[in-house]
Amino acid sequence: MTTFTLGIDVGGTFTDLVAFNTATGEQVIDKASSTPADPSIGVLNGLESIAAKLSMTRSELLEQTKLIVHGTTVTTNAVLTGRGAKTALLTTEGFRDILQMRRGVRSKEHLFNNKYVAPAPLVERDLRIGLKERTDSAGTLLQPVLEQEIVQAARHFKDQGVEAVAICFMHACANPTNEIAAAELMRNLMPEAFVTYSSEVSPMVRLYNRVSTTVMNAYVGPVLKSYIDRLLGALREQGFHKGELLIMQSNGGITSPHNVAEIPATTVLSGPAGGPVAGSAFARAYGREEAIVIDMGGTSFEASIIRGGEVTIRKEGEINRNHISLPMADIHSIGSGGGSIAWIDDGGILRVGPQSAGARPGPACYGRGGELPTCSDADLVLGYLNGDYFLGGEMKLDVELAERAIREHIAEPLGLSVEEAAYGIYTISNLNMVNGIKEITVQNGYDPREFPMVVAGGAAPVHAAMMARELDMTEMIIPKYSSVLCAVGMLASDLRHDYVKSFQHGWNEIELPLIEAMLRKSRQEGWQALGLEGVTVAKREVIIGIDMRYSGQHYEVTIEFDESILLAGDKAPIEELFHKEHERLYGFDLRHHELEVVNLRISCRGKQAVFELPRSEQAAEGEQAQPRGSRRMYDPAQRQSVEAPIYDGETMKAGTHVEGPCIVELITTTIIVPAGFELEYGSYGSFIMKDVAKGERS
Amino acid sequence: MDQITISVIANRLKAIGRQMGVVIERSAHSPLLVEGRDFSLGIYSAEGALIEQTEYIPILGYATGPGVQAVIDYFGEDVHPGDAFLHNDPFTGGNQLSDWKVIKPVFIGDQLVAWTAITAHQADVGGSVPGSYNPYATDLWQEGLRITPLRIYENNRKRRDVWDFVFGNVRLPIVADDIQAMIGGCTVGERELMDLISRYTIPVFNEAVEEIFNSTERMAKRIISEIPNGEYTARWWANDNGFDHEARMNIDVKVTVEDEQMTVDFTGTHPQTPGYVNAPMPVTVSSVMIAFFMLSEQEIAHNEAIKRCIHFVIPEGSMLNPRFPAASGFGNHLSDQIVSAVMLALSEALPGRVTAGWNPLLCSIMNGTDPRKQAPYVDIMINACKGGSGGTEGADGYDHIGLIASGGAISAQDPEMFELINPCFLHKFEYAPDSAGAGQWRGGLGVETIFEIQSEGSQASVFGDGAKAGMTAPGVLGGGDGSINSIVLEYPDGQQTEAHMKDLISNIPYGTVYKQMAGGGGGYGDPKKRPAELVAREVRYGVISAESAERDYGVKLADPANGIIDEAATAALRG
């Protein structure tokens, strides 16, 4: 009997798990420490632990699991830390520096900053080799690849220990012949290396965009492959015989390991993409189509915006100034989390992060040898965390070690009490994260006061109230599963297979059946993949996208519509969609101008819907939550130490509410309710926190 | 007024500016705008004070306001919802005939509350040379169509007679499309501003704007007060006036800092030249602002309030404020020399902030007929012209960044787009080895570009500087100078021509090979203090030759291909 579906999200500090019993509707969550050296170990540890919660062994659980959805940060981390595969590039002679030039732009943020230094490119210059091959802009092959040159390059790459090879030639999207030939030769010459070429990764015009995307793909390919192989091998060995593993992609959709192995760069924002997906599900439950989703983990803080109930998707993005032309959820990430290290700068100013103690050694209070004070140490000293009840008592936190780290490194040098120093760390962490939220709201012209905040990540509910107050936001939705929200999001995601085809034609020259024919193969592939992934036909959806422009423009507008419009065969409604979208975006249309098509897109989506929002148990008339004890806590709103009642969040019933200052403990997180705030348990497994004092003032 | 409201409005204005910019970047037709981003935009108060601007290319930033003011002064009360205006006249506030401004009023009800404006470089503006860069022009009429304040939209509708007249006087139909995109950008800005101002009400908006101005003024004053009081002077040179290729024109600058006020005085600068090497005043002012933003080393809003504490003396009749009817097509490009002069003047007061010289621009505009489309083409060879910036304390110069007037914002054409748009076939577009001035922090690298011109009878208008030793990016504090700029044409018959710094080369035959070297930036500090491993690595990368490593940096390599240092020889060389 295969009844379980698992969501597993590997973060920098913790591996989050959620198990959903599709037969009974039972949902169980758990957290385990991440093991960055080999993240699959953390996954197996987590599985053992969550199985125990279900009174099963790990093997029993895996045998009864039909689907595991997995999000991973291995590719993101590889790019950010420069620890991807040793990568080489084959390109057209005369263009070896395109990757590093980044079109000669210093970055819009640094127009006047002469001290700015660009990050190093992912391929060093001596591993970027130009070949005497050439295709012209019309797609005419002028010079085929010379085998001898590739043989020489392969020899050089082998000498240098190259693990991955990116191939990107001029005008390969107009004619991929040379790329395919070079890739075949290279794969034969270097069978152990990961070889990828641009017309397969991102077949769109613009050499820089393609070379950067292809290099990124090569750079993360071996890392992701060895990770998935290791993980799947271990899972199979442990009893996961019949089930399927699916991987979260940056676009918020999920797909098979086979698919991500081809274009591993589609996972560079895999982990965090689950956050907004789940966040939108919880916000919708409370009738909110718009929300700001924040996620504070051990090492990073992510913020994203939900509008119209949908995760915001962008067609391209950048990681560490490496351009990537693949669809991704629009998520802003900064280096701030529970593990962020507090330090004093040259001017005697207290700073927090972006350096993190990570999972090992971790914060001082973990007792794993970490000696530097972190945000979590401050939270513990201030009484926000219960050293004996962390992760439901599975992990002990040592308050003395935390105090010592803060005293030695912060309090004494600054002449503060330990409590004052801890409050400083807490507040500065909040300000860092508030700036991250401003980046995506205020700086894009959104007023955060108009949004509710969906709070995710184990450390976030400790900080949410004071961050919200800083931003004048008055409403927070804190799912009971807050600490594993990304993992929940993995179960709430749709299966999704996106394809793009370069297709440059005047709109008048073509008829819709030609477009249908162009996309037929991709549609079949996506449709079949959905079938293999177990999505019934009724739950499949095919969305067509056309990148169009007025003839002579350089950039396209993507219009999306249901497949049925394409099959109806009438071009007029599609033209109308384009004119309208152009007018909306750019303030004008050119209705008498000719149109041209640049790319065709197709997205095959399968509604997964294995996850249902939990229904909370309703409180009886007049029933109120009773504290189970109290402890000293530094109330950040009143800036003084108080004796705060502690409530058991696991047993609170829908409709009951508590007033700050108080503490609500859950197994995997703690909610701090400062004075002036009120917390109510809602009907769909979320707490709703309101800034009552602020509401009265305004 | 609470700080959150002020910051939301300030940031929202910034976002509106960015949104307007995206319209141009994404919907315009000319490669100059789309690929090169040669435009700038702003939001102005009802009275014409600059509230917010997004500089895609900084030189156009502070050069837009005077045109907005010209329209306001000219039309007075006769401004209505749905109007749009056009302007380019350098003698009523324009900066260059090629840079057209679209200016649109924003109304709430019948009250004028703001203006949106976009300045963008047009592919052609008439005159005697396609692309409108004419080194032989002696007055503005030879350069292009002069547009004094002109209403082109009324009631949200084109004034067809005016429109047809204007675009009947430029060569390329894409100019009309681009003006349409600029009007679209202004409309998007107008729409968003109406939404913003209605939400907060007009008085709250105006109060927030005043608060934004005050905060900017405080910040500007703080920045100026960080410069020690005193008078700082410098002289720098522009070369070749278009008629006399050996001509040298001095730019004299005196920066006076007195507590929180600063005066920049160009008295003594060379008189206006007979040709197009003249910068209308908005260019001179905007160039000084670029230097100020670079030297301030902090984020400061770019609005009217900064000018409350920076004052200008720019003598009329000088090269930096020419009299009617001077030609001024090259004016924008004097910004390289103006910024260098200001940096040089302040190098004594701010040694840790100045950079060594940036590569002075040498560039060309190509025009002709694209045989593939049987249609005219015009493009600025931005990719080929982008040299390196100067090294500075703590950072190497930026490679292939391009003219200082753009602050690294103007992007090189993508090689594929370049070939799709122009009848040119690229052979090479790579960093030029040994182009960077040596230094503890070296200059940025220049680039080498080679392409074949695949059309018959093209024309190249060459404009720039830095083509001889002594004119290149100077090194500072022991750093070396950047390499020389050059443009050479190799004709199919084997003949070679090296272009002058201001030149017009016509009737270029099919198959001519265009070769350009854009020089590197100047180096900062003693090259022998640069870590030897870093030098060795760049030899391995092939951007510094083994000879230069030994001669300039005192690093001897035992195995250059693998970047292995001869430790003993290096120790001896470095002393």
Side-chain angles (χ1 to χ4, degrees):
Chain A
M1 200 175 51
T2 51
T3 51
F4 284 96
T5 296
L6 308 178
I8 304 175
D9 172 37
V10 178
T13 313
F14 288 108
T15 296
D16 298 341
L17 301 98
V18 48
F20 179 63
N21 184 329
T22 52
T24 64
E26 185 187 8
Q27 298 172 7
V28 177
I29 63 170
D30 205 357
K31 279 176 106 65
S33 288
S34 287
T35 49
D38 179 358
S40 60
I41 295 170
V43 171
L44 291 174
N45 292 344
L47 285 168
E48 186 162 343
S49 160
I50 201 166
K53 290 195 167 163
L54 292 159
S55 310
M56 299 164 95
T57 65
R58 182 170 62 197
S59 304
E60 282 166 357
L61 173 62
L62 284 170
E63 276 161 19
Q64 293 180 33
T65 296
K66 65 174 172 190
L67 177 64
I68 297 177
V69 184
H70 181 44
T72 167
T73 50
V74 292
T75 48
T76 323
N77 287 342
V79 176
L80 291 178
T81 58
R83 291 200 201 113
K86 178 137 185 169
T87 304
L89 170 69
L90 289 182
T91 188
T92 306
E93 186 179 57
F95 301 96
R96 69 197 286 215
D97 294 324
I98 296 298
L99 176 75
Q100 185 171 359
M101 287 173 169
R102 297 177 171 109
R103 298 191 62 192
V105 173
R106 182 155 68 177
S107 130
K108 274 185 204 153
E109 286 71 49
H110 298 101
L111 274 188
F112 302 99
N113 177 5
N114 291 330
K115 307 251 148 126
Y116 171 77
V117 177
L122 297 180
V123 182
E124 291 189 278
R125 194 170 197 262
D126 53 341
L127 292 177
R128 305 197 296 255
I129 293 187
L131 303 180
K132 288 186 185 41
E133 69 73 45
R134 194 63 149 85
T135 299
D136 73 10
S137 59
T140 313
L141 202 158
L142 304 177
Q143 166 72 56
V145 284
L146 300 172
E147 186 170 349
Q148 189 46 39
E149 280 194 324
I150 305 222
V151 170
Q152 265 176 25
R155 195 176 306 136
H156 175 56
F157 294 165
K158 278 185 186 165
D159 286 349
Q160 300 292 320
V162 165
E163 299 161 299
V165 181
I167 300 172
C168 182
F169 295 153
M170 276 286 276
H171 300 299
C173 58
N175 180 352
T177 307
N178 276 357
E179 279 194 354
I180 293 169
E184 248 171 53
L185 283 166
M186 209 30 127
R187 280 175 182 152
N188 288 334
L189 290 160
M190 296 181 72
E192 68 292 349
F194 177 72
V195 176
T196 178
Y197 57 95
S198 78
S199 44
E200 156 192 72
V201 178
S202 172
M204 289 184 282
V205 68
R206 282 194 172 78
L207 184 66
Y208 168 63
N209 296 4
R210 270 205 331 280
V211 77
S212 180
T213 308
T214 312
V215 161
M216 172 100 67
N217 200 48
Y219 190 75
V220 301
V223 179
L224 185 71
K225 182 172 188 316
S226 79
Y227 170 65
I228 290 180
D229 286 352
R230 209 161 48 232
L231 176 67
L232 197 55
L235 290 173
R236 294 282 187 237
E237 201 173 285
Q238 297 295 322
F240 184 56
H241 303 304
K242 293 176 291 253
E244 201 183 348
L245 175 73
L246 294 178
I247 306 292
M248 188 82 186
Q249 307 169 91
S250 319
N251 63 8
I254 50 185
T255 191
S256 69
H258 171 74
N259 286 330
V260 290
E262 276 173 23
I263 321 248
T266 54
T267 63
V268 286
L269 275 173
S270 159
V277 174
S280 66
F282 280 100
R284 261 201 311 268
Y286 294 95
R288 304 297 294 257
E289 294 280 301
E290 324 256 292
I292 291 165
V293 182
I294 64 156
D295 185 346
M296 179 186 181
T299 44
S300 67
F301 172 81
E302 272 98 29
S304 54
I305 292 192
I306 306 294
R307 303 196 65 212
E310 295 278 342
V311 179
T312 321
I313 302 279
R314 46 196 302 177
K315 278 194 285 185
E316 53 185 24
E318 249 187 26
I319 296 181
N320 211 18
R321 288 214 66 205
N322 299 298
H323 178 96
I324 171 162
S325 286
L326 291 168
M328 55 180 73
D330 194 359
I331 295 171
H332 183 70
S333 182
I334 60 170
S336 179
S340 291
I341 293 169
W343 52 289
I344 298 170
D345 77 7
D346 295 340
I349 305 285
L350 173 63
R351 310 258 181 210
V352 181
Q355 288 298 317
S356 170
R360 299 225 166 244
C365 60
Y366 283 17
R368 290 174 181 165
E371 290 182 352
L372 299 175
T374 64
C375 182
S376 293
D377 293 310
D379 290 347
L380 180 63
V381 166
L382 294 169
Y384 304 154
L385 303 178
N386 180 349
D388 297 326
Y389 195 68
F390 194 63
L391 294 184
E394 284 170 35
M395 194 172 153
K396 298 271 183 245
L397 301 180
D398 189 329
V399 71
E400 277 175 29
L401 290 176
E403 278 177 1
R404 191 171 77 196
I406 293 173
R407 184 182 315 114
E408 281 179 10
H409 294 277
I410 308 292
E412 280 176 0
L414 292 179
L416 299 171
S417 72
V418 171
E419 193 174 62
E420 285 168 332
Y423 173 73
I425 296 170
Y426 173 81
T427 304
I428 287 165
S429 301
N430 287 349
L431 285 178
N432 288 344
M433 292 184 283
V434 161
N435 284 335
I437 297 174
K438 282 185 179 168
E439 287 267 330
I440 58 153
T441 53
V442 180
Q443 296 195 16
N444 286 307
Y446 298 118
D447 187 338
R449 290 178 286 195
E450 293 165 7
F451 293 79
M453 180 192 274
V454 179
V455 180
V462 168
H463 293 260
M466 297 314 285
M467 280 195 274
R469 182 166 279 183
E470 181 70 29
L471 288 160
D472 273 356
M473 296 172 74
T474 53
E475 191 184 1
M476 287 144 272
I477 299 170
I478 309 173
K480 202 168 175 180
Y481 299 157
S482 165
S483 73
V484 297
L485 198 74
C486 283
V488 173
M490 279 154 207
L491 297 189
S493 299
D494 292 339
L495 288 131
R496 184 165 173 161
H497 305 281
D498 291 349
Y499 304 88
V500 55
K501 287 256 178 289
S502 179
F503 181 78
Q504 307 206 14
H505 287 284
W507 180 246
N508 288 335
E509 300 161 17
I510 52 155
E511 289 304 326
L512 298 185
L514 179 62
I515 293 184
E516 191 272 325
M518 283 299 297
L519 292 172
R520 198 174 297 147
K521 193 166 154 280
S522 300
R523 187 191 186 281
Q524 271 169 6
E525 212 174 290
W527 192 260
Q528 276 172 7
L530 290 175
L532 289 173
E533 286 155 358
V535 182
T536 58
V537 170
K539 288 186 173 168
R540 295 182 210 173
E541 184 182 44
V542 179
I543 303 292
I544 306 295
I546 306 187
D547 296 354
M548 288 175 96
R549 62 191 177 198
Y550 291 114
S551 174
Q553 285 182 324
H554 297 224
Y555 280 93
E556 319 71 62
V557 170
T558 303
I559 47 166
E560 289 193 336
F561 47 87
D562 190 84
E563 184 182 36
S564 56
I565 295 180
L566 181 71
L567 297 175
D570 183 5
K571 282 156 81 176
I574 298 176
E575 282 167 31
E576 191 53 32
L577 275 174
F578 172 78
H579 292 309
K580 283 214 172 110
E581 183 65 4
H582 195 280
E583 211 282 333
R584 188 184 74 79
L585 287 170
Y586 303 142
F588 72 103
D589 56 43
L590 300 168
R591 278 172 189 266
H592 305 296
H593 234 280
E594 275 185 39
L595 298 174
E596 58 192 33
V597 177
V598 183
N599 299 304
L600 303 176
R601 297 171 185 273
I602 184 163
S603 178
C604 301
R605 299 173 196 175
K607 294 280 166 208
Q608 188 194 203
V610 294
F611 175 75
E612 291 156 23
L613 284 176
R615 299 301 299 258
S616 322
E617 196 185 329
Q618 293 292 323
E621 183 79 23
E623 184 179 346
Q624 276 308 333
Q626 297 302 320
R628 68 173 176 204
S630 70
R631 69 167 180 259
R632 296 301 293 176
M633 155 183 121
Y634 186 86
D635 181 355
Q638 304 179 71
R639 293 193 61 172
Q640 65 181 41
S641 192
V642 295
E643 188 68 24
I646 302 169
Y647 295 90
D648 178 6
E650 299 291 343
T651 59
M652 267 178 77
K653 294 198 180 132
T656 57
H657 80 277
V658 297
E659 282 170 20
C662 70
I663 298 165
V664 176
E665 285 185 347
L666 290 145
I667 292 173
T668 56
T669 191
T670 303
I671 306 171
I672 294 302
V673 187
F677 289 80
E678 222 178 68
L679 184 81
E680 179 179 328
Y681 190 48
S683 303
Y684 298 96
S686 291
F687 296 90
I688 311 294
M689 180 147 62
K690 291 205 162 109
D691 189 343
V692 190
K694 178 69 85 184
E696 280 165 6
R697 278 204 303 276
S698 61
Chain B
M1 174 167 283
D2 71 295
Q3 202 55 40
I4 286 270
T5 304
I6 298 168
S7 349
V8 167
I9 291 178
N11 285 295
R12 180 88 186 249
L13 286 166
K14 211 171 198 42
I16 293 172
R18 276 208 304 262
Q19 232 174 315
M20 290 168 66
V22 168
V23 174
I24 308 301
E25 208 182 332
R26 297 275 156 169
S27 75
H29 287 65
S30 157
L32 301 183
L33 305 188
V34 183
E35 296 287 318
R37 303 196 188 119
D38 192 349
F39 64 92
S40 198
L41 48 92
I43 297 166
Y44 295 79
S45 72
E47 299 74 36
L50 173 65
I51 300 172
E52 167 62 39
Q53 71 178 337
T54 302
E55 299 104 335
Y56 275 73
I57 165 160
I59 187 63
L60 298 182
Y62 277 85
T64 302
V68 175
Q69 198 59 56
V71 165
I72 293 174
D73 294 345
Y74 188 89
F75 287 98
E77 294 293 302
D78 183 20
V79 173
H80 311 281
D83 281 347
F85 302 94
L86 201 60
H87 183 259
N88 80 343
D89 173 29
F91 295 97
T92 53
N95 60 302
Q96 176 183 3
L97 285 180
S98 289
D99 291 335
W100 287 17
K101 291 160 187 69
V102 167
I103 299 162
K104 209 165 188 281
V106 181
F107 283 85
I108 302 281
D110 55 5
Q111 189 177 347
L112 177 70
V113 290
W115 295 84
T116 56
I118 301 180
T119 302
H121 190 126
Q122 302 306 314
D124 183 83
V125 299
S128 52
V129 174
S132 311
Y133 265 50
N134 177 5
Y136 306 130
T138 53
D139 63 43
L140 82 167
W141 298 289
Q142 297 167 46
E143 298 195 286
L145 183 64
R146 178 187 185 201
I147 305 170
T148 50
L150 184 70
R151 195 191 324 262
I152 47 168
Y153 260 58
E154 205 166 31
N155 242 330
N156 290 311
R157 284 222 305 275
K158 239 179 232 174
R159 293 183 65 192
R160 205 161 57 88
D161 51 346
V162 175
W163 188 272
D164 289 346
F165 171 78
V166 169
F167 297 104
N169 280 286
V170 299
R171 291 177 179 82
L172 299 172
I174 60 168
V175 176
D177 295 336
D178 285 346
I179 295 300
Q180 195 83 63
M182 289 164 70
I183 294 169
C186 284
T187 306
V188 165
E190 178 194 9
R191 224 183 254 172
E192 296 290 317
L193 277 169
M194 286 167 71
D195 181 51
L196 174 75
I197 300 171
S198 317
R199 177 130 59 107
Y200 287 93
T201 74
I202 299 170
V204 169
F205 174 75
N206 288 338
E207 193 186 336
V209 166
E210 196 45 45
E211 287 300 325
I212 293 167
F213 284 167
N214 291 339
S215 118
T216 305
E217 182 183 354
R218 281 193 299 274
M219 224 173 140
K221 285 180 166 170
R222 198 167 63 235
I223 290 167
I224 295 170
S225 65
E226 285 167 18
I227 310 172
N229 280 349
E231 275 186 18
Y232 305 98
T233 59
R235 167 171 288 188
W236 190 238
W237 301 90
N239 304 284
D240 186 343
N241 67 17
F243 294 95
D244 175 1
H245 298 305
E246 305 302 320
R248 303 199 77 195
M249 289 79 71
N250 63 301
I251 292 173
D252 284 10
V253 65
K254 179 173 82 183
V255 181
T256 309
V257 177
E258 211 179 336
D259 304 327
E260 296 176 328
Q261 299 289 325
M262 181 166 133
T263 303
V264 184
D265 181 347
F266 288 97
T267 302
T269 293
H270 196 277
Q272 69 189 73
T273 72
Y276 73 163
V277 184
N278 294 302
M281 199 153 72
V283 172
T284 308
V285 170
S286 201
S287 304
V288 171
M289 297 313 294
I290 292 171
F292 178 75
F293 292 135
M294 284 185 171
L295 292 169
S296 64
E297 288 196 348
Q298 49 193 294
E299 288 291 319
I300 176 167
H302 295 183
N303 60 39
E304 202 71 18
I306 294 181
K307 290 205 261 161
R308 293 177 186 171
C309 29
I310 301 183
H311 313 277
F312 293 88
V313 180
I314 312 170
E316 211 187 331
S318 74
M319 183 173 67
L320 302 183
N321 184 11
R323 283 201 182 89
F324 182 81
S328 59
F330 187 77
N332 277 357
H333 307 295
L334 281 171
S335 56
D336 278 345
Q337 281 72 27
I338 300 169
V339 177
S340 290
V342 175
M343 284 244 178
L344 226 49
L346 288 169
S347 61
E348 180 194 330
L350 301 167
R353 294 191 185 182
V354 294
T355 69
W358 288 45
N359 169 247
L361 175 77
L362 178 67
C363 192
S364 72
I365 297 189
M366 298 282 308
N367 74 76
T369 304
D370 186 338
R372 300 171 300 179
K373 305 167 192 159
Q374 282 308 314
Y377 80 97
V378 173
D379 201 2
I380 301 190
M381 305 290 110
I382 290 170
N383 43 9
C385 81
K386 281 167 72 91
S389 73
T392 183
E393 189 179 88
D396 287 345
Y398 203 90
D399 302 331
H400 178 48
I401 189 171
L403 61 170
I404 198 165
S406 82
I410 197 162
S411 37
Q413 294 96 329
D414 181 86
E416 290 181 350
M417 293 305 285
F418 182 78
E419 291 188 347
L420 279 163
I421 293 164
N422 303 310
C424 299
F425 184 86
L426 271 166
H427 288 291
K428 185 172 194 182
F429 176 46
E430 281 187 358
Y431 292 141
D434 287 343
S435 54
Q440 182 177 2
W441 288 285
R442 66 158 169 82
L445 292 162
V447 294
E448 180 179 10
T449 307
I450 302 174
F451 59 85
E452 187 181 320
I453 300 164
Q454 297 183 328
S455 79
E456 199 59 60
S458 286
Q459 187 180 49
S461 177
V462 175
F463 55 100
D465 212 305
K468 290 176 190 157
M471 301 175 185
T472 67
V476 298
L477 300 167
D481 294 351
S483 62
I484 289 171
N485 293 327
S486 67
I487 293 176
V488 173
L489 296 181
E490 280 180 14
Y491 293 103
D493 64 6
Q495 249 195 62
Q496 276 206 7
T497 304
E498 171 152 12
H500 295 292
M501 291 180 278
K502 316 297 188 286
D503 212 340
L504 187 62
I505 305 171
S506 303
N507 298 318
I508 301 171
Y510 189 107
T512 299
V513 175
Y514 176 109
K515 294 184 163 181
Q516 179 164 359
M517 295 293 281
Y524 182 105
D526 180 1
K528 296 209 163 55
K529 288 192 185 148
R530 188 172 178 82
E533 305 72 52
L534 202 51
V535 176
R537 191 165 76 199
E538 295 203 313
V539 172
R540 171 161 66 88
Y541 287 167
V543 295
I544 293 177
S545 65
E547 297 73 41
S548 164
E550 187 171 342
R551 179 186 65 234
D552 303 321
Y553 292 94
V555 175
K556 171 91 177 154
L557 283 113
D559 176 0
N562 289 302
I564 293 165
I565 300 171
D566 179 338
E567 300 285 353
T570 298
L573 283 168
R574 295 199 142 192

